[in-house]
């Protein structure tokens, strides 16, 4: 039986993740000034959005004329 593509290791670990680890959330919130490293409790942190924004590709001038 073959292995599912989502279970393969290697390059799969380099893709974008929407979920941050606790350490990443602490660092992100501390950078924004919303978490204190001395007084803050790292348990029960609020969710932090980590969205990847991709700009849309522009169409070439010749593509629109050929399709019509």
């Amino acid at each position: 039986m073959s292995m599912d593509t989502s279970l393969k290791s290697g390059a799969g670990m380099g893709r974008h993740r929407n979920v941050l680890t606790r350490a990443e959330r602490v660092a992100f919130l501390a950078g924004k000034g919303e978490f204190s490293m001395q007084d803050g409790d790292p348990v029960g942190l609020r969710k932090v959005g980590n969205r990847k924004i991709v700009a849309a590709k522009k169409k070439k001038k010749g593509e629109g004329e050929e399709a019509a």
Side-chain angles (χ1 to χ4, degrees):
M1 193 179 344
S2 63
M3 183 184 291
D4 188 67
T5 57
S6 64
L7 298 175
K8 292 182 182 177
S9 62
M13 297 303 289
R15 63 182 165 198
H16 179 73
R17 296 178 295 126
N18 287 333
V19 179
L20 299 179
T21 62
R22 181 175 290 142
E24 290 171 336
R25 284 187 288 167
V26 166
F28 182 82
L29 293 173
K32 290 179 73 175
E34 297 180 17
F35 180 79
S36 173
M37 292 294 221
Q38 290 80 21
D39 302 330
D41 184 18
V43 178
L45 290 173
R46 71 175 183 87
K47 294 180 181 178
V48 177
N50 186 30
R51 304 293 185 249
K52 183 177 181 181
I53 299 172
V54 179
K57 294 181 182 179
K58 293 183 179 180
K59 292 184 179 180
K60 293 181 182 179
K61 291 181 180 180
E63 287 183 9
E65 296 171 3
E66 292 175 10

